[in-house]
Amino acid sequence: MVSATALLITNDRTIARDLRERLVRLGYRVAGIAASEEEAIQQVELSKPDLILTDIRIEADRDGEIKTGNLIHSTYDLPIIYITGSIGHKTIQRARHTGPFGYIYIPFDDQQLLVTIETALTRHQLERKLRESRQWLNTTLTSIGEGVIATDEEGRLRFINPVAMQYTGWLHTEAIGRPLAEVFSFVDEDTQQPIDVFQIEDGPPQHASKKGFEGVLLPRNGLPLPIEANITSIKDGKGTVYGMVLVFRDVTQQRAAMQEIKRQANRAEALMQVASQLNSQLELETVLVTICEIINRTIKSAAAAVVLQDPHKEFFRVMAAMSQDPALQAYRGDEFQIPKEVFQALLSREQPVVEIQDVQNAPNLPYFEVFRKADIRTLAIAAVFHGDDLIGALISAFTHRLKGLPQDELALLRGLADQASSALENAELFEQVRAGRERQRKLARSLVDVQEAERRRIAKELHDHLGQLLTGLQFMLETAKNQASGTQRAHLEEIQESVSDVIRQVGEMSLNLRPSMLDDMGLLPTLRWHIDRYTSQTGIHVNFRCDQFSRRFPLETETAAYRIIQEALTNVARYAQVKEVFVGLVEQKETLWVEVLDNGKGFDLAALSDRPSSGLSGMRERASLIGGYLVVESFINQGTQIVAALPITEQPLERRKYDRNRSAS
């Protein structure tokens, strides 16, 4: 029992004295005794009691005490217990409006008095907490930034907060008690068919107690609102449903923000993609087509074109165009020449992007006629500069008339033009570098051809002229030897042996310079002859594997393959310290693949790069000069692999493809 302070209101002193003694005996404090309404109000304000015990029949006017109890209960929120003897039904009915917390009867009983007071105090405390909770909940729901509607088990409104009133157009006084469907008119956004919220709530159970949905709210007055909503049942511990709570929000701004974020993200991604694609493309034609594709994709235009200045004339030529519109596709491949001064009048550093909103009614200029025929309504043109010089423009065409392209669209087109300018410069530089390399390659190839021709001539001279002279000398020595005797004959035999050695050395020199069978019989017979000769000279077995080629390859390809294998086998004999080496030849996709592999000592490629080997550099140079490439991999005490890719056609090979395929495998 919690000690409490009570105020007694009665004009019966006997009752007051008896009741006071009982309260003190039960452990309560008595703040005072008031005999009238004025005195009671003063005592309440002065002593601030926890409880009021008042006589229901006081010597005032007939209903005076009941009015006093009502005033005290409503003003000071204090529990009131009425003291009564025998009273009528009408008096009890009047007392009910004051919210009595109990009645004690004369004569008093301590137990009944204690139970009534404790019950009144407990009830008052619980009711106060309940009122505070309700007030807190009501304030929270009222101040929340989302619409909140609560219904009873029959679907009639019990609560609606200000945001929900604003969304629906219904006032609180009008909405309470009405069916939910009448206040919350909700339809499907696509079909515009009404949605029954209760069917959503009665639908299959989900992972959470909330059930979310989207749709369009039709306010009482105003425009439809796209909303997101959640509905939750109000249940007791046994699962009995007493109503539901509907929480919803206007997603108009959220959708607009998401669309803007998505649009900006797409544009940022487009610019990154442009930079990536254009920087990875060095072929001018590919760069121009890529620019058109990206313009159509990012700005959603019907067609895009790139015009560049003709380097020899004062007009701009359409270099690339792209469109998915069949009417515009008909113009692909046509060459339009636009005077340079036209773009100079439209574009400048201060105005790098222009928009022509009504092409059909634009000034009657000849170069606009093609756009009129194609029913183009709007044009956006961005300048492409090289330094301060206008070298071209990007043209984006639209088949519908626009009130004005958004500034971010124009800014995006300008960004694409800047990227295009860099890409065009890169492509131009690449063309210059490639042309220079091609000239260098042709020159070096001519030098190799001259070198091989000189080798062929010298080898022929050694074999035919010098070889014949030495052979004739050998016959003359043989004749002289047959006619001599004794010591002279012995000297002639020694001379004859020396001449034979010279003949063999001349033959070796002739073969090393260029075996004639390479020209006469081709690569495979020459390689087999060379491998047999190599094995007999070095003792190293060559495991030779090759395809059965049905044709001769270009002479420069066969020469390069032979020289690479010849040099690689020479290096194996000098450094690898092995008894066996693998040599392979494969024809695949217009490429002759050459491989030489050993499991010997190997070497450090990084260290070797500081002092370039004439053998390795010579092999790389031979492959490069005919448009191929050569790759060397070597590891200490594990071996060395040499792979050469030699073109069979005039088209040069790309080293990067080999590197990517090898990395992937």
Side-chain angles (χ1 to χ4, degrees):
M1 179 183 70
V2 180
S3 178
T5 300
L7 174 65
L8 306 180
I9 303 175
T10 180
N11 56 8
D12 189 325
R13 295 184 178 180
T14 303
I15 292 176
R17 185 172 55 253
D18 183 19
L19 188 55
R20 181 172 187 169
E21 291 176 355
R22 290 176 180 273
L23 290 174
V24 172
R25 187 166 59 248
L26 291 173
Y28 299 104
R29 295 187 297 273
V30 178
I33 301 173
S36 66
E37 178 181 349
E38 293 79 6
E39 188 177 356
I41 297 300
Q42 291 176 0
Q43 289 278 3
V44 168
E45 292 182 349
L46 180 64
S47 60
K48 297 186 175 9
D50 302 312
L51 180 70
I52 303 294
L53 283 80
T54 178
D55 193 343
I56 203 168
R57 297 179 180 276
I58 191 171
E59 290 183 1
D61 56 13
R62 181 182 175 191
D63 297 325
E65 189 60 35
I66 296 176
K67 292 180 179 179
T68 301
N70 188 35
L71 177 63
I72 292 173
H73 177 71
S74 60
T75 304
Y76 299 100
D77 187 25
L78 293 174
I80 297 176
I81 298 176
Y82 287 106
I83 305 168
T84 181
S86 63
I87 56 176
H89 178 70
K90 291 183 178 180
T91 303
I92 293 293
Q93 289 295 325
R94 287 195 296 270
R96 286 179 59 185
H97 297 292
T98 66
F101 281 74
Y103 297 89
I104 55 176
Y105 295 93
I106 303 173
F108 301 121
D109 176 84
D110 287 355
Q111 185 175 4
Q112 190 256 347
L113 182 63
L114 176 64
V115 170
T116 303
I117 291 175
E118 289 301 318
T119 301
L121 290 172
T122 301
R123 174 187 163 190
H124 179 260
Q125 184 180 12
L126 293 176
E127 287 186 357
R128 174 179 290 177
K129 290 182 179 180
L130 180 60
R131 283 195 304 274
E132 290 175 353
S133 297
R134 285 178 176 174
Q135 184 62 35
W136 178 85
L137 178 61
N138 186 72
T139 302
T140 300
L141 295 178
T142 300
S143 60
I144 198 171
E146 298 177 340
V148 180
I149 293 176
T151 70
D152 59 18
E153 65 273 14
E154 295 180 355
R156 296 185 177 275
L157 262 69
R158 295 284 302 276
F159 174 84
I160 180 170
N161 74 341
V163 176
M165 288 188 281
Q166 177 185 351
Y167 286 165
T168 61
W170 286 81
L171 297 177
H172 182 275
T173 53
E174 300 172 322
I176 297 302
R178 291 183 179 272
L180 176 63
E182 185 177 347
V183 177
F184 188 75
S185 181
F186 191 56
V187 298
D188 184 271
E189 188 169 7
D190 297 325
T191 65
Q192 296 298 307
Q193 295 298 316
I195 298 177
D196 189 347
V197 175
F198 291 101
Q199 288 185 354
I200 297 176
E201 172 60 16
D202 296 336
Q206 299 180 359
H207 296 293
S209 58
K210 293 181 179 179
K211 293 184 173 65
F213 52 92
E214 297 181 2
V216 175
L217 175 65
L218 303 179
R220 193 178 184 184
N221 298 306
L223 299 175
L225 293 176
I227 67 165
E228 291 179 352
N230 288 305
I231 183 171
T232 307
S233 297
I234 303 174
K235 300 179 181 179
D236 61 10
K238 297 180 180 180
T240 304
V241 177
Y242 292 100
M244 71 173 188
V245 176
L246 180 66
V247 181
F248 54 98
R249 66 198 67 83
D250 180 6
V251 295
T252 303
Q253 294 183 353
Q254 178 182 345
R255 286 187 177 183
M258 290 300 296
Q259 290 176 355
E260 181 62 23
I261 291 172
K262 185 176 180 180
R263 185 164 57 249
Q264 295 295 344
N266 288 339
R267 289 169 183 162
E269 182 181 357
L271 286 176
M272 291 179 62
Q273 187 179 10
V274 167
S276 175
Q277 290 186 2
L278 294 184
N279 290 335
S280 64
Q281 300 289 346
L282 296 176
E283 297 285 348
L284 181 60
E285 183 178 354
T286 305
V287 168
L288 298 179
V289 172
T290 302
I291 291 172
C292 293
E293 290 176 346
I294 292 174
I295 291 175
N296 287 338
R297 185 168 65 249
T298 55
I299 305 183
K300 309 299 182 186
S301 54
V306 180
V307 297
L308 296 178
Q309 182 179 359
D310 190 301
H312 306 294
K313 299 179 182 179
E314 289 296 313
F315 60 78
F316 283 2
R317 185 188 301 275
V318 178
M319 302 298 294
M322 184 66 62
S323 174
Q324 299 300 324
D325 190 331
L328 298 174
Q329 282 280 25
Y331 292 94
R332 286 191 63 181
D334 290 355
E335 292 189 2
F336 301 106
Q337 296 179 359
I338 305 173
K340 182 178 180 180
E341 57 268 17
V342 171
F343 287 105
Q344 289 178 332
L346 292 173
L347 303 169
S348 65
R349 275 293 186 186
E350 294 72 25
Q351 189 178 2
V353 181
V354 295
E355 179 185 1
I356 302 174
Q357 295 184 8
D358 189 2
V359 174
Q360 298 297 319
N361 297 318
N364 188 22
L365 295 176
Y367 62 90
F368 273 171
E369 190 61 31
V370 63
F371 297 116
R372 295 191 185 97
K373 289 180 179 179
D375 200 28
I376 295 298
R377 302 289 176 168
T378 303
L379 286 177
I381 306 174
V384 177
F385 290 99
H386 179 66
D388 290 330
D389 297 330
L390 180 65
I391 62 170
L394 306 187
I395 301 177
S396 185
F398 301 86
T399 53
H400 53 283
R401 183 178 179 183
L402 304 175
K403 294 181 179 179
L405 282 171
Q407 288 300 316
D408 53 355
E409 296 279 1
L410 297 176
L412 178 60
L413 187 61
R414 180 178 180 181
L416 294 174
D418 292 339
Q419 291 288 345
S421 176
S422 300
L424 291 173
E425 290 182 17
N426 292 338
E428 182 180 357
L429 291 174
F430 175 72
E431 287 294 331
Q432 295 175 1
V433 171
R434 184 170 64 175
R437 287 181 176 176
E438 184 62 23
R439 289 193 297 270
Q440 182 184 16
R441 189 176 71 86
K442 288 182 178 179
L443 177 60
R445 184 171 175 178
S446 298
L447 292 176
V448 171
D449 291 342
V450 170
Q451 183 185 51
E452 286 294 331
E454 186 65 16
R455 284 180 173 228
R456 187 182 299 110
R457 187 189 66 80
I458 294 174
K460 183 176 179 59
E461 288 291 329
L462 287 174
H463 181 270
D464 295 346
H465 183 67
L466 185 57
Q468 290 177 4
L469 290 177
L470 290 173
T471 302
L473 180 60
Q474 184 78 301
F475 283 120
M476 292 172 62
L477 289 174
E478 182 67 22
T479 301
K481 183 183 70 172
N482 292 333
Q483 295 176 356
S485 62
T487 305
Q488 188 179 13
R489 183 183 180 88
H491 287 313
L492 290 173
E493 287 179 353
E494 290 178 3
I495 294 172
Q496 193 176 24
E497 289 178 2
S498 298
V499 172
S500 297
D501 290 338
V502 172
I503 291 175
R504 284 193 296 270
Q505 291 177 14
V506 168
E508 288 290 331
M509 291 173 62
S510 176
L511 291 175
N512 289 333
L513 281 171
R514 184 176 181 87
S516 60
M517 64 186 307
L518 182 60
D519 299 317
D520 300 333
M521 303 180 66
L523 179 61
L524 288 186
T526 306
L527 281 178
R528 290 193 174 96
W529 165 82
H530 178 74
I531 287 170
D532 292 340
R533 181 165 165 263
Y534 174 83
T535 301
S536 65
Q537 291 175 342
T538 63
I540 299 174
H541 174 68
V542 179
N543 183 9
F544 182 52
R545 295 287 184 272
C546 68
D547 291 344
Q548 294 300 320
F549 306 128
S550 59
R551 56 172 173 163
R552 288 286 302 269
F553 300 122
L555 184 58
E556 59 269 18
T557 301
E558 292 188 339
T559 301
Y562 175 77
R563 293 301 185 193
I564 289 171
I565 294 174
Q566 182 186 40
E567 181 64 31
L569 289 178
T570 300
N571 289 338
V572 170
R574 289 177 179 175
Y575 309 113
Q577 298 181 7
V578 294
K579 295 296 183 182
E580 185 177 15
V581 61
F582 172 82
V583 175
L585 281 178
V586 175
E587 179 187 0
Q588 187 178 27
K589 295 181 179 180
E590 300 300 324
T591 302
L592 179 63
W593 292 90
V594 178
E595 181 181 15
V596 180
L597 175 66
D598 69 76
N599 296 323
K601 292 182 62 177
F603 55 89
D604 187 352
L605 280 171
L608 194 63
S609 63
D610 297 334
R611 45 184 182 86
S613 167
S614 60
L616 289 178
S617 61
M619 287 189 285
R620 286 195 179 97
E621 184 178 357
R622 281 194 175 272
S624 176
L625 288 177
I626 65 170
Y629 57 87
L630 182 134
V631 180
V632 179
E633 292 190 2
S634 184
F635 301 94
I636 301 297
N637 296 325
Q638 295 185 39
T640 302
Q641 181 191 40
I642 296 175
V643 176
L646 307 176
I648 299 174
T649 63
E650 291 294 328
Q651 184 67 28
L653 303 178
E654 183 185 355
R655 163 76 180 273
R656 288 174 294 178
K657 291 182 179 179
Y658 171 82
D659 293 339
R660 289 194 296 268
N661 294 336
R662 186 172 182 84
S663 176
S665 63

